[in-house]
Amino acid sequence: MHLRAEAIVLSVRAHGEHGAVVRALTEADGLQPGYVPGGRSRALRPVLQPSNLVQGEWRARTDEQLASLTVELIHSRAPLFGEALPAAALSWATGLTAAALPDGLPFPRLHAALDGVLAAIEAAPAARGWAVAMVRYELLLLAELGFGLDLEHCVATGAREDLAFVSPKSGIAVSRAGAAGYEDRLLRMPPFLTAGGAAEWGDILDGLRLTGHFLARDLLTGRSADVLAARVRLVDRLQRAVA
């Protein structure tokens, strides 16, 4: 196995005395794990920062063996980790992707979307410019992994207009008329998910509640559930930022 490609660093885990196991997302070959000798060294720690763009080269004698990985930095987002809100957003986006995706399967739409979210965070650390993109990325991740929501028609009436809620059980939209009397049992669907355009902070937080429910239920279970702590930190910091 020999692969050379640009990749987004998603996660770094200490391995042995000096090395690190790195999971990075490539466009054509999906998520690729690799062992970086000396990955915990002073020279490589800034390179192996989640969200950084690197040139990676993976080598292994067999497909079953964990590849040895060497990296060269292309673009660093490490300075953003000195600010609480951007750091929380970068940590969540990369951690979620690392936990949810299987190894070696291409997800070009997710690669492009993640690259866009990370670039938006870098361009607008104050969150107004990237919070909507984060919600849309979470929805896309659910869809790409087979847990997509149906936000086009009402599960109760079949209507395609005035959709304002989502059933937490089926993941299908519910109109205001169909939701009458059951609003407190449903998840609010913010208008920007179907109509596009700008979003108020209340709508953004509703969007995060919506996607968070299905991420926790359908994707981040078992050992992967640990990554949800990063999302809790992100939502908490967003709420404090807009309070």
Side-chain angles (χ1 to χ4, degrees), residues 22-113:
V22 176
R23 299 169 70 80
L25 185 64
T26 69
E27 181 178 12
D29 295 279
L31 194 156
Q32 293 289 332
Y35 172 72
V36 181
R40 297 164 64 190
S41 68
R42 184 175 299 178
L44 282 179
R45 279 201 304 268
V47 177
L48 297 177
Q49 177 69 55
S51 77
N52 279 359
L53 182 65
V54 298
Q55 182 74 40
E57 188 164 7
W58 291 260
R59 292 181 181 270
R61 293 181 179 179
T62 68
D63 289 339
E64 292 74 28
Q65 180 185 21
L66 178 64
S68 177
L69 170 61
T70 58
V71 295
E72 298 176 13
L73 181 65
I74 296 175
H75 179 69
S76 175
R77 296 188 173 98
L80 288 170
F81 282 83
E83 303 178 50
L85 187 52
L90 294 173
S91 295
W92 163 245
T94 54
L96 166 64
T97 308
L101 294 190
D103 293 350
L105 297 181
F107 291 93
R109 292 180 65 202
L110 280 175
H111 180 276

Side-chain angles (χ1 to χ4, degrees), residues 108-201:
R109 292 180 65 202
L110 280 175
H111 180 276
L114 177 61
D115 186 57
V117 171
L118 299 179
I121 296 168
E122 187 174 17
R128 175 67 74 175
W130 55 259
V132 168
M134 184 71 78
V135 176
R136 292 193 180 281
Y137 178 69
E138 293 176 351
L139 282 176
L140 177 62
L141 184 71
L142 285 163
E144 290 283 293
L145 294 177
F147 299 101
L149 307 186
D150 184 346
L151 306 181
E152 297 184 356
H153 73 282
C154 174
V155 66
T157 67
R160 293 182 176 272
E161 298 179 352
D162 201 24
L163 303 176
F165 301 91
V166 174
S167 166
K169 293 183 178 180
S170 68
I172 304 176
V174 184
S175 66
R176 293 186 193 280
Y182 297 92
E183 291 90 346
D184 60 344
R185 302 182 188 179
L186 303 172
L187 297 164
R188 185 173 178 274
M189 182 171 70
F192 73 84
L193 290 184
T194 53
E200 300 297 328
W201 280 116

